[in-house]
Every structure is written in C-alpha cells, then in structure tokens.
Amino acid sequence: MLTIKTIGQVLKEKRTSLGLDLSEAEQLTQVQKLYIVALETDDYKALPGDFYIKAYLKQYAEKLGLNADRIIQSYDEGKGITVEDKEDILENYHFVKPSERVEPEEEVPKTWRHYVPIISLSAAALLIVVGVFAAVIMNKPETPDLITNDYSYSKSEVSTSKSKSSTSSTKPSESSTQASSSKPEPTIAISGSSSAMIATISNISDPIKVDFSVAAGRTIWVGMTNSNVPATGQTLSDAANSLSALVTTGAENSVITLGSVQGLTITVNGKALDLSSLTTTGPNKITLQINRTTSNSAAQ
C-alpha cells in the first residue's frame, strides 16, 4: 500500500528500523542530536539556514542508506515522499489452550529447620563481636596523671614568646598582600577532537569576552549558550565578519556551535583558542569549561 509521508517521518522510520537511538545516530552521521530531532520533526526553523538544512539532509540520508537526491528534491518542491507502507503480520502468535497451560508449582511452606543455619551463623557472628569488644575494654591503657606543678614560666619567657608570636603574625599578612598583588595569568587546556572540543579555562574572572572573526570570503554560522548571543545564533560573512560575546556572569560553562571552522578565529579575553583539533567540515561544537579565580585562591 502506497502512502505519502513527510521527510521527517521517512528519516525517523529508517533510523528506528536500524535500531539506532539519537546518540548512536549522532555518532554514525556526525550530525548533532538537536539537528537530528529538528529534521525528524520537519522543524526547519530550528536549523541555521537553507544551505545547512540541505547539507544536513544529504549527510543524514546518505548515512542511513536513503536516496539523498530524492529527499533533497522533495524538500525543494515542498512535497511529501511516496513510500510503500508494509502491513504488520503477526507470524509468531501462538494460542495456548487452557489444557496445555502449565500452572506454577505451589511453594512448599518452610519449617523451622530451614532457618537453623541462618540462626547459627548470626549467633556466631554476635559472639565474635562481643569477644572483640570485651578484649578492647580489658586492654585499654590507663590515662596517666598530669602533674601541673612541674611546669613553671618566667615573665621573661612569656614576654619573649609574645614578641615571637606578634612577629610571626605579621609575616602571613605580608605574604598574603604579596600574593594578592600578583594575579596568575589565565590558562586554556584543549581536549577532544574531530567535531567536538573542550576548552578548560582556568585563572579567569568576569567579565569573560569571546571574540569571533572570519576570513574574507567565508560565511560561518555561530551559536553560543550562556551568553548575550541570540538564541537563533548569528551568521558571520564579509558584511559582518566579527562578533563579540560576553559569557553570562557566574556561568560555569558555555557551548559554542559552529557551522564550520575554516577561516575562523576565536579568542577568550585576548587568548586565542587552538582550533586545529576540529577536522570535520560539518557542524562543530566547543564546550568552554570555566574555572574562575577568587580572592581566597589568589591569597593562597
């Protein structure tokens, strides 16, 4: 029987027939999970633009073994896809007659003999605990008496100890002042590869500014959570080739989503991010893990 289905229905039915969940489909197709959900629900407004919609449809369809050209044509024409819908046939159904049913065996009531081993083990364990406790009490050493009359202090010793304590008390304050005056430089540690990267930023304080700039002739879509960048993201091109974003004060992380990294430069408070580990041409994700400095950590 022939039926007309949307592109999203065809993609989702193919994924489920392959036994893939969303996370497994993301690893197979290199398309982010949030974009997979948008494609399977025909929610094209959630994607960056027409160029990326077609790119994701083609990449997703090919990885699932579908006809990508047919799906792109259906998207361009704004029509559904005619597919053959197979009827479900219950081949493994088997009716069991009442006479053939096997009733579960009745549980035999347990007698007191069944609990004898358990009771014996519990009693033995209790005797061991009592014996150990008694041995500890009997062998406890006596507390020696302290004779306070054997201690005497002269006025000179007391005054000397006071002067030493006052001198030592000034040293930590001086060292803390020196420590607070020298603030450590921010550091960035990079991990991950392919299409996902984690940048752990330490010794940094608010405000945290992330600058994006794109080379001439390049067009790149940028999205960023926990920041002042719009939820729909922003496209960088020759008309507007730079973007300055501020991370939300107090946020511990921020996820940057990029349509591409070719010709893109990113700096965090003036420090450049090394993007060489991102090697895929499709969408890329950078997670900023933020470890801020505090007055207490600076003093230590």
mmCIF file of all heavy atoms in Angstrom, residues 41-85:
data_model
loop_
_atom_site.group_PDB
_atom_site.id
_atom_site.type_symbol
_atom_site.label_atom_id
_atom_site.label_comp_id
_atom_site.label_asym_id
_atom_site.label_seq_id
_atom_site.Cartn_x
_atom_site.Cartn_y
_atom_site.Cartn_z
ATOM 1 N N THR A 41 11.361 15.977 12.875
ATOM 2 C CA THR A 41 10.065 16.605 13.166
ATOM 3 C C THR A 41 9.704 17.653 12.129
ATOM 4 O O THR A 41 8.739 18.390 12.317
ATOM 5 C CB THR A 41 10.087 17.233 14.572
ATOM 6 O OG1 THR A 41 11.170 18.168 14.655
ATOM 7 C CG2 THR A 41 10.243 16.170 15.641
ATOM 8 N N ASP A 42 10.491 17.742 11.048
ATOM 9 C CA ASP A 42 10.260 18.723 9.969
ATOM 10 C C ASP A 42 10.255 20.152 10.503
ATOM 11 O O ASP A 42 9.568 21.024 9.964
ATOM 12 C CB ASP A 42 8.935 18.426 9.254
ATOM 13 C CG ASP A 42 8.916 17.028 8.645
ATOM 14 O OD1 ASP A 42 9.725 16.773 7.739
ATOM 15 O OD2 ASP A 42 8.112 16.185 9.090
ATOM 16 N N ASP A 43 11.036 20.409 11.572
ATOM 17 C CA ASP A 43 11.122 21.753 12.158
ATOM 18 C C ASP A 43 12.357 22.451 11.581
ATOM 19 O O ASP A 43 13.392 22.565 12.225
ATOM 20 C CB ASP A 43 11.203 21.641 13.692
ATOM 21 C CG ASP A 43 11.191 23.007 14.361
ATOM 22 O OD1 ASP A 43 10.882 24.012 13.672
ATOM 23 O OD2 ASP A 43 11.493 23.080 15.565
ATOM 24 N N TYR A 44 12.247 22.929 10.332
ATOM 25 C CA TYR A 44 13.405 23.508 9.654
ATOM 26 C C TYR A 44 13.767 24.886 10.205
ATOM 27 O O TYR A 44 14.865 25.373 9.949
ATOM 28 C CB TYR A 44 13.125 23.591 8.155
ATOM 29 C CG TYR A 44 12.846 22.241 7.534
ATOM 30 C CD1 TYR A 44 11.638 21.971 6.900
ATOM 31 C CD2 TYR A 44 13.788 21.212 7.603
ATOM 32 C CE1 TYR A 44 11.381 20.728 6.342
ATOM 33 C CE2 TYR A 44 13.540 19.974 7.051
ATOM 34 C CZ TYR A 44 12.329 19.726 6.424
ATOM 35 O OH TYR A 44 12.090 18.511 5.894
ATOM 36 N N LYS A 45 12.852 25.517 10.944
ATOM 37 C CA LYS A 45 13.161 26.826 11.521
ATOM 38 C C LYS A 45 14.216 26.720 12.620
ATOM 39 O O LYS A 45 14.853 27.716 12.958
ATOM 40 C CB LYS A 45 11.888 27.466 12.088
ATOM 41 C CG LYS A 45 10.862 27.828 11.024
ATOM 42 C CD LYS A 45 9.636 28.485 11.650
ATOM 43 C CE LYS A 45 8.603 28.854 10.582
ATOM 44 N NZ LYS A 45 7.404 29.487 11.193
ATOM 45 N N ALA A 46 14.386 25.527 13.175
ATOM 46 C CA ALA A 46 15.376 25.346 14.236
ATOM 47 C C ALA A 46 16.788 25.203 13.686
ATOM 48 O O ALA A 46 17.745 25.152 14.452
ATOM 49 C CB ALA A 46 15.022 24.114 15.073
ATOM 50 N N LEU A 47 16.954 25.124 12.356
ATOM 51 C CA LEU A 47 18.274 24.982 11.750
ATOM 52 C C LEU A 47 18.782 26.340 11.275
ATOM 53 O O LEU A 47 17.982 27.267 11.047
ATOM 54 C CB LEU A 47 18.228 23.990 10.595
ATOM 55 C CG LEU A 47 18.181 22.509 11.034
ATOM 56 C CD1 LEU A 47 16.761 22.071 11.269
ATOM 57 C CD2 LEU A 47 18.839 21.598 10.017
ATOM 58 N N PRO A 48 20.107 26.488 11.076
ATOM 59 C CA PRO A 48 20.686 27.810 10.776
ATOM 60 C C PRO A 48 20.172 28.447 9.491
ATOM 61 O O PRO A 48 19.975 29.635 9.421
ATOM 62 C CB PRO A 48 22.193 27.527 10.691
ATOM 63 C CG PRO A 48 22.388 26.272 11.465
ATOM 64 C CD PRO A 48 21.143 25.466 11.293
ATOM 65 N N GLY A 49 19.960 27.693 8.432
ATOM 66 C CA GLY A 49 19.553 28.287 7.169
ATOM 67 C C GLY A 49 19.373 27.225 6.097
ATOM 68 O O GLY A 49 19.621 26.023 6.306
ATOM 69 N N ASP A 50 18.914 27.653 4.902
ATOM 70 C CA ASP A 50 18.596 26.718 3.830
ATOM 71 C C ASP A 50 19.821 25.910 3.403
ATOM 72 O O ASP A 50 19.720 24.719 3.119
ATOM 73 C CB ASP A 50 18.020 27.495 2.632
ATOM 74 C CG ASP A 50 17.485 26.557 1.562
ATOM 75 O OD1 ASP A 50 16.466 25.888 1.815
ATOM 76 O OD2 ASP A 50 18.098 26.484 0.478
ATOM 77 N N PHE A 51 20.992 26.557 3.360
ATOM 78 C CA PHE A 51 22.217 25.858 2.961
ATOM 79 C C PHE A 51 22.522 24.701 3.911
ATOM 80 O O PHE A 51 22.826 23.583 3.496
ATOM 81 C CB PHE A 51 23.386 26.844 2.920
ATOM 82 C CG PHE A 51 24.722 26.183 2.702
ATOM 83 C CD1 PHE A 51 25.125 25.781 1.433
ATOM 84 C CD2 PHE A 51 25.574 25.938 3.776
ATOM 85 C CE1 PHE A 51 26.353 25.174 1.243
ATOM 86 C CE2 PHE A 51 26.793 25.327 3.595
ATOM 87 C CZ PHE A 51 27.190 24.943 2.321
ATOM 88 N N TYR A 52 22.428 24.962 5.233
ATOM 89 C CA TYR A 52 22.740 23.939 6.220
ATOM 90 C C TYR A 52 21.641 22.875 6.272
ATOM 91 O O TYR A 52 21.911 21.707 6.547
ATOM 92 C CB TYR A 52 22.917 24.574 7.594
ATOM 93 C CG TYR A 52 24.150 25.443 7.678
ATOM 94 C CD1 TYR A 52 24.061 26.824 7.604
ATOM 95 C CD2 TYR A 52 25.413 24.875 7.822
ATOM 96 C CE1 TYR A 52 25.192 27.621 7.670
ATOM 97 C CE2 TYR A 52 26.552 25.655 7.896
ATOM 98 C CZ TYR A 52 26.436 27.034 7.821
ATOM 99 O OH TYR A 52 27.555 27.805 7.895
ATOM 100 N N ILE A 53 20.379 23.261 6.006
ATOM 101 C CA ILE A 53 19.296 22.278 6.003
ATOM 102 C C ILE A 53 19.557 21.212 4.947
ATOM 103 O O ILE A 53 19.489 20.006 5.203
ATOM 104 C CB ILE A 53 17.946 22.977 5.753
ATOM 105 C CG1 ILE A 53 17.583 23.895 6.938
ATOM 106 C CG2 ILE A 53 16.839 21.944 5.547
ATOM 107 C CD1 ILE A 53 16.361 24.738 6.698
ATOM 108 N N LYS A 54 19.908 21.642 3.718
ATOM 109 C CA LYS A 54 20.166 20.684 2.655
ATOM 110 C C LYS A 54 21.407 19.843 2.945
ATOM 111 O O LYS A 54 21.453 18.646 2.650
ATOM 112 C CB LYS A 54 20.330 21.417 1.321
ATOM 113 C CG LYS A 54 19.045 22.068 0.808
ATOM 114 C CD LYS A 54 19.269 22.736 -0.540
ATOM 115 C CE LYS A 54 17.998 23.387 -1.055
ATOM 116 N NZ LYS A 54 18.193 24.031 -2.378
ATOM 117 N N ALA A 55 22.428 20.496 3.526
ATOM 118 C CA ALA A 55 23.654 19.758 3.857
ATOM 119 C C ALA A 55 23.379 18.675 4.896
ATOM 120 O O ALA A 55 23.842 17.534 4.767
ATOM 121 C CB ALA A 55 24.721 20.725 4.363
ATOM 122 N N TYR A 56 22.594 19.021 5.947
ATOM 123 C CA TYR A 56 22.276 18.037 6.981
ATOM 124 C C TYR A 56 21.374 16.928 6.433
ATOM 125 O O TYR A 56 21.537 15.746 6.777
ATOM 126 C CB TYR A 56 21.596 18.716 8.172
ATOM 127 C CG TYR A 56 22.482 19.679 8.908
ATOM 128 C CD1 TYR A 56 21.960 20.804 9.568
ATOM 129 C CD2 TYR A 56 23.861 19.483 8.972
ATOM 130 C CE1 TYR A 56 22.774 21.694 10.236
ATOM 131 C CE2 TYR A 56 24.683 20.362 9.643
ATOM 132 C CZ TYR A 56 24.133 21.467 10.271
ATOM 133 O OH TYR A 56 24.936 22.348 10.948
ATOM 134 N N LEU A 57 20.382 17.297 5.571
ATOM 135 C CA LEU A 57 19.509 16.279 4.985
ATOM 136 C C LEU A 57 20.312 15.289 4.149
ATOM 137 O O LEU A 57 20.125 14.071 4.240
ATOM 138 C CB LEU A 57 18.440 16.959 4.118
ATOM 139 C CG LEU A 57 17.270 17.631 4.846
ATOM 140 C CD1 LEU A 57 16.389 18.383 3.864
ATOM 141 C CD2 LEU A 57 16.443 16.600 5.612
ATOM 142 N N LYS A 58 21.230 15.795 3.333
ATOM 143 C CA LYS A 58 22.036 14.923 2.472
ATOM 144 C C LYS A 58 22.939 14.020 3.302
ATOM 145 O O LYS A 58 23.016 12.806 3.069
ATOM 146 C CB LYS A 58 22.883 15.793 1.533
ATOM 147 C CG LYS A 58 23.795 14.990 0.590
ATOM 148 C CD LYS A 58 24.537 15.926 -0.342
ATOM 149 C CE LYS A 58 25.503 15.162 -1.246
ATOM 150 N NZ LYS A 58 24.791 14.212 -2.126
ATOM 151 N N GLN A 59 23.626 14.609 4.305
ATOM 152 C CA GLN A 59 24.547 13.826 5.131
ATOM 153 C C GLN A 59 23.795 12.763 5.945
ATOM 154 O O GLN A 59 24.211 11.604 6.024
ATOM 155 C CB GLN A 59 25.315 14.761 6.063
ATOM 156 C CG GLN A 59 26.380 14.066 6.894
ATOM 157 C CD GLN A 59 27.219 15.061 7.678
ATOM 158 O OE1 GLN A 59 27.102 16.267 7.479
ATOM 159 N NE2 GLN A 59 28.056 14.578 8.551
ATOM 160 N N TYR A 60 22.640 13.148 6.512
ATOM 161 C CA TYR A 60 21.865 12.226 7.350
ATOM 162 C C TYR A 60 21.272 11.099 6.510
ATOM 163 O O TYR A 60 21.330 9.924 6.879
ATOM 164 C CB TYR A 60 20.770 13.017 8.064
ATOM 165 C CG TYR A 60 20.075 12.261 9.171
ATOM 166 C CD1 TYR A 60 20.793 11.423 10.020
ATOM 167 C CD2 TYR A 60 18.701 12.376 9.380
ATOM 168 C CE1 TYR A 60 20.175 10.747 11.046
ATOM 169 C CE2 TYR A 60 18.071 11.699 10.400
ATOM 170 C CZ TYR A 60 18.801 10.878 11.229
ATOM 171 O OH TYR A 60 18.180 10.206 12.242
ATOM 172 N N ALA A 61 20.705 11.449 5.320
ATOM 173 C CA ALA A 61 20.079 10.440 4.472
ATOM 174 C C ALA A 61 21.107 9.437 3.961
ATOM 175 O O ALA A 61 20.859 8.222 3.930
ATOM 176 C CB ALA A 61 19.363 11.125 3.305
ATOM 177 N N GLU A 62 22.267 9.913 3.516
ATOM 178 C CA GLU A 62 23.290 9.003 2.993
ATOM 179 C C GLU A 62 23.776 8.033 4.055
ATOM 180 O O GLU A 62 23.982 6.841 3.779
ATOM 181 C CB GLU A 62 24.461 9.812 2.434
ATOM 182 C CG GLU A 62 24.140 10.540 1.134
ATOM 183 C CD GLU A 62 25.314 11.375 0.632
ATOM 184 O OE1 GLU A 62 26.271 11.571 1.412
ATOM 185 O OE2 GLU A 62 25.267 11.836 -0.525
ATOM 186 N N LYS A 63 24.000 8.519 5.304
ATOM 187 C CA LYS A 63 24.465 7.637 6.379
ATOM 188 C C LYS A 63 23.416 6.600 6.751
ATOM 189 O O LYS A 63 23.748 5.500 7.202
ATOM 190 C CB LYS A 63 24.832 8.472 7.609
ATOM 191 C CG LYS A 63 26.065 9.345 7.415
ATOM 192 C CD LYS A 63 27.308 8.538 7.196
ATOM 193 C CE LYS A 63 28.543 9.426 7.101
ATOM 194 N NZ LYS A 63 29.768 8.648 6.915
ATOM 195 N N LEU A 64 22.117 6.927 6.569
ATOM 196 C CA LEU A 64 21.061 5.966 6.883
ATOM 197 C C LEU A 64 20.769 5.028 5.718
ATOM 198 O O LEU A 64 19.958 4.119 5.838
ATOM 199 C CB LEU A 64 19.772 6.708 7.268
ATOM 200 C CG LEU A 64 19.806 7.512 8.573
ATOM 201 C CD1 LEU A 64 18.456 8.175 8.808
ATOM 202 C CD2 LEU A 64 20.181 6.639 9.763
ATOM 203 N N GLY A 65 21.413 5.256 4.547
ATOM 204 C CA GLY A 65 21.189 4.405 3.393
ATOM 205 C C GLY A 65 19.975 4.783 2.572
ATOM 206 O O GLY A 65 19.411 3.930 1.878
ATOM 207 N N LEU A 66 19.529 6.037 2.642
ATOM 208 C CA LEU A 66 18.383 6.505 1.877
ATOM 209 C C LEU A 66 18.852 7.218 0.615
ATOM 210 O O LEU A 66 20.031 7.556 0.467
ATOM 211 C CB LEU A 66 17.537 7.459 2.726
ATOM 212 C CG LEU A 66 16.853 6.854 3.953
ATOM 213 C CD1 LEU A 66 16.232 7.943 4.807
ATOM 214 C CD2 LEU A 66 15.794 5.843 3.548
ATOM 215 N N ASN A 67 17.924 7.496 -0.293
ATOM 216 C CA ASN A 67 18.202 8.222 -1.524
ATOM 217 C C ASN A 67 18.244 9.710 -1.203
ATOM 218 O O ASN A 67 17.201 10.363 -1.091
ATOM 219 C CB ASN A 67 17.126 7.916 -2.576
ATOM 220 C CG ASN A 67 17.504 8.468 -3.945
ATOM 221 O OD1 ASN A 67 18.241 9.452 -4.042
ATOM 222 N ND2 ASN A 67 16.998 7.847 -4.993
ATOM 223 N N ALA A 68 19.455 10.259 -1.046
ATOM 224 C CA ALA A 68 19.597 11.655 -0.625
ATOM 225 C C ALA A 68 19.063 12.615 -1.684
ATOM 226 O O ALA A 68 18.439 13.633 -1.359
ATOM 227 C CB ALA A 68 21.058 11.962 -0.309
ATOM 228 N N ASP A 69 19.294 12.307 -2.969
ATOM 229 C CA ASP A 69 18.829 13.205 -4.035
ATOM 230 C C ASP A 69 17.308 13.307 -4.044
ATOM 231 O O ASP A 69 16.731 14.375 -4.251
ATOM 232 C CB ASP A 69 19.329 12.697 -5.395
ATOM 233 C CG ASP A 69 20.845 12.780 -5.506
ATOM 234 O OD1 ASP A 69 21.434 13.641 -4.806
ATOM 235 O OD2 ASP A 69 21.440 12.004 -6.260
ATOM 236 N N ARG A 70 16.643 12.194 -3.789
ATOM 237 C CA ARG A 70 15.178 12.203 -3.761
ATOM 238 C C ARG A 70 14.658 13.035 -2.592
ATOM 239 O O ARG A 70 13.670 13.761 -2.719
ATOM 240 C CB ARG A 70 14.675 10.765 -3.665
ATOM 241 C CG ARG A 70 13.147 10.645 -3.701
ATOM 242 C CD ARG A 70 12.732 9.205 -3.544
ATOM 243 N NE ARG A 70 11.296 9.055 -3.498
ATOM 244 C CZ ARG A 70 10.676 7.927 -3.171
ATOM 245 N NH1 ARG A 70 11.395 6.848 -2.887
ATOM 246 N NH2 ARG A 70 9.361 7.861 -3.145
ATOM 247 N N ILE A 71 15.333 12.954 -1.454
ATOM 248 C CA ILE A 71 14.905 13.715 -0.278
ATOM 249 C C ILE A 71 15.148 15.200 -0.489
ATOM 250 O O ILE A 71 14.303 16.046 -0.154
ATOM 251 C CB ILE A 71 15.633 13.198 0.974
ATOM 252 C CG1 ILE A 71 15.095 11.817 1.346
ATOM 253 C CG2 ILE A 71 15.481 14.163 2.138
ATOM 254 C CD1 ILE A 71 15.764 11.182 2.519
ATOM 255 N N ILE A 72 16.298 15.578 -1.084
ATOM 256 C CA ILE A 72 16.568 16.995 -1.368
ATOM 257 C C ILE A 72 15.541 17.536 -2.357
ATOM 258 O O ILE A 72 15.043 18.665 -2.215
ATOM 259 C CB ILE A 72 17.994 17.156 -1.917
ATOM 260 C CG1 ILE A 72 19.037 16.751 -0.850
ATOM 261 C CG2 ILE A 72 18.240 18.598 -2.350
ATOM 262 C CD1 ILE A 72 19.008 17.581 0.399
ATOM 263 N N GLN A 73 15.185 16.738 -3.379
ATOM 264 C CA GLN A 73 14.183 17.169 -4.355
ATOM 265 C C GLN A 73 12.830 17.370 -3.680
ATOM 266 O O GLN A 73 12.123 18.341 -3.964
ATOM 267 C CB GLN A 73 14.063 16.127 -5.471
ATOM 268 C CG GLN A 73 13.044 16.499 -6.560
ATOM 269 C CD GLN A 73 12.920 15.411 -7.607
ATOM 270 O OE1 GLN A 73 13.593 14.395 -7.545
ATOM 271 N NE2 GLN A 73 12.049 15.634 -8.576
ATOM 272 N N SER A 74 12.452 16.468 -2.783
ATOM 273 C CA SER A 74 11.185 16.614 -2.063
ATOM 274 C C SER A 74 11.187 17.866 -1.207
ATOM 275 O O SER A 74 10.175 18.567 -1.095
ATOM 276 C CB SER A 74 10.945 15.376 -1.189
ATOM 277 O OG SER A 74 9.769 15.524 -0.432
ATOM 278 N N TYR A 75 12.358 18.191 -0.580
ATOM 279 C CA TYR A 75 12.441 19.416 0.231
ATOM 280 C C TYR A 75 12.292 20.666 -0.640
ATOM 281 O O TYR A 75 11.580 21.604 -0.289
ATOM 282 C CB TYR A 75 13.767 19.443 0.974
ATOM 283 C CG TYR A 75 14.057 20.770 1.640
ATOM 284 C CD1 TYR A 75 13.419 21.141 2.820
ATOM 285 C CD2 TYR A 75 14.966 21.672 1.074
ATOM 286 C CE1 TYR A 75 13.664 22.364 3.410
ATOM 287 C CE2 TYR A 75 15.210 22.885 1.666
ATOM 288 C CZ TYR A 75 14.560 23.228 2.831
ATOM 289 O OH TYR A 75 14.804 24.460 3.425
ATOM 290 N N ASP A 76 12.982 20.671 -1.813
ATOM 291 C CA ASP A 76 12.893 21.834 -2.704
ATOM 292 C C ASP A 76 11.468 22.050 -3.205
ATOM 293 O O ASP A 76 11.003 23.189 -3.352
ATOM 294 C CB ASP A 76 13.843 21.658 -3.896
ATOM 295 C CG ASP A 76 15.314 21.773 -3.475
ATOM 296 O OD1 ASP A 76 15.574 22.470 -2.474
ATOM 297 O OD2 ASP A 76 16.176 21.181 -4.145
ATOM 298 N N GLU A 77 10.754 20.943 -3.509
ATOM 299 C CA GLU A 77 9.389 21.064 -4.016
ATOM 300 C C GLU A 77 8.359 21.258 -2.916
ATOM 301 O O GLU A 77 7.208 21.582 -3.210
ATOM 302 C CB GLU A 77 9.042 19.804 -4.821
ATOM 303 C CG GLU A 77 9.908 19.628 -6.077
ATOM 304 C CD GLU A 77 9.628 18.308 -6.787
ATOM 305 O OE1 GLU A 77 8.854 17.499 -6.225
ATOM 306 O OE2 GLU A 77 10.153 18.095 -7.886
ATOM 307 N N GLY A 78 8.770 21.072 -1.656
ATOM 308 C CA GLY A 78 7.826 21.243 -0.541
ATOM 309 C C GLY A 78 6.759 20.165 -0.517
ATOM 310 O O GLY A 78 5.635 20.416 -0.074
ATOM 311 N N LYS A 79 7.087 18.962 -1.023
ATOM 312 C CA LYS A 79 6.116 17.874 -1.071
ATOM 313 C C LYS A 79 6.574 16.727 -0.177
ATOM 314 O O LYS A 79 7.720 16.671 0.250
ATOM 315 C CB LYS A 79 5.949 17.373 -2.503
ATOM 316 C CG LYS A 79 5.415 18.433 -3.477
ATOM 317 C CD LYS A 79 5.308 17.853 -4.866
ATOM 318 C CE LYS A 79 4.790 18.893 -5.869
ATOM 319 N NZ LYS A 79 4.695 18.341 -7.244
ATOM 320 N N GLY A 80 5.625 15.791 0.055
ATOM 321 C CA GLY A 80 5.957 14.594 0.803
ATOM 322 C C GLY A 80 6.590 13.552 -0.101
ATOM 323 O O GLY A 80 6.773 13.755 -1.297
ATOM 324 N N ILE A 81 6.902 12.408 0.466
ATOM 325 C CA ILE A 81 7.561 11.314 -0.251
ATOM 326 C C ILE A 81 6.610 10.127 -0.269
ATOM 327 O O ILE A 81 6.085 9.712 0.772
ATOM 328 C CB ILE A 81 8.885 10.919 0.399
ATOM 329 C CG1 ILE A 81 9.831 12.127 0.443
ATOM 330 C CG2 ILE A 81 9.540 9.755 -0.319
ATOM 331 C CD1 ILE A 81 11.123 11.850 1.160
ATOM 332 N N THR A 82 6.393 9.568 -1.467
ATOM 333 C CA THR A 82 5.519 8.401 -1.606
ATOM 334 C C THR A 82 6.331 7.141 -1.311
ATOM 335 O O THR A 82 7.339 6.859 -1.962
ATOM 336 C CB THR A 82 4.945 8.327 -3.027
ATOM 337 O OG1 THR A 82 4.233 9.532 -3.319
ATOM 338 C CG2 THR A 82 3.995 7.150 -3.149
ATOM 339 N N VAL A 83 5.890 6.393 -0.310
ATOM 340 C CA VAL A 83 6.589 5.170 0.091
ATOM 341 C C VAL A 83 5.592 4.039 0.209
ATOM 342 O O VAL A 83 4.375 4.242 0.317
ATOM 343 C CB VAL A 83 7.327 5.368 1.432
ATOM 344 C CG1 VAL A 83 8.394 6.413 1.309
ATOM 345 C CG2 VAL A 83 6.345 5.736 2.538
ATOM 346 N N GLU A 84 6.114 2.813 0.173
ATOM 347 C CA GLU A 84 5.273 1.630 0.336
ATOM 348 C C GLU A 84 5.210 1.265 1.798
ATOM 349 O O GLU A 84 6.235 0.973 2.424
ATOM 350 C CB GLU A 84 5.828 0.468 -0.485
ATOM 351 C CG GLU A 84 4.953 -0.780 -0.411
ATOM 352 C CD GLU A 84 5.496 -1.910 -1.275
ATOM 353 O OE1 GLU A 84 6.508 -1.684 -1.977
ATOM 354 O OE2 GLU A 84 4.917 -3.008 -1.245
ATOM 355 N N ASP A 85 4.004 1.302 2.373
ATOM 356 C CA ASP A 85 3.821 1.025 3.800
ATOM 357 C C ASP A 85 3.438 -0.432 3.958
ATOM 358 O O ASP A 85 2.348 -0.863 3.534
ATOM 359 C CB ASP A 85 2.731 1.938 4.360
ATOM 360 C CG ASP A 85 2.772 1.976 5.881
ATOM 361 O OD1 ASP A 85 3.673 1.333 6.446
ATOM 362 O OD2 ASP A 85 1.910 2.639 6.487
#
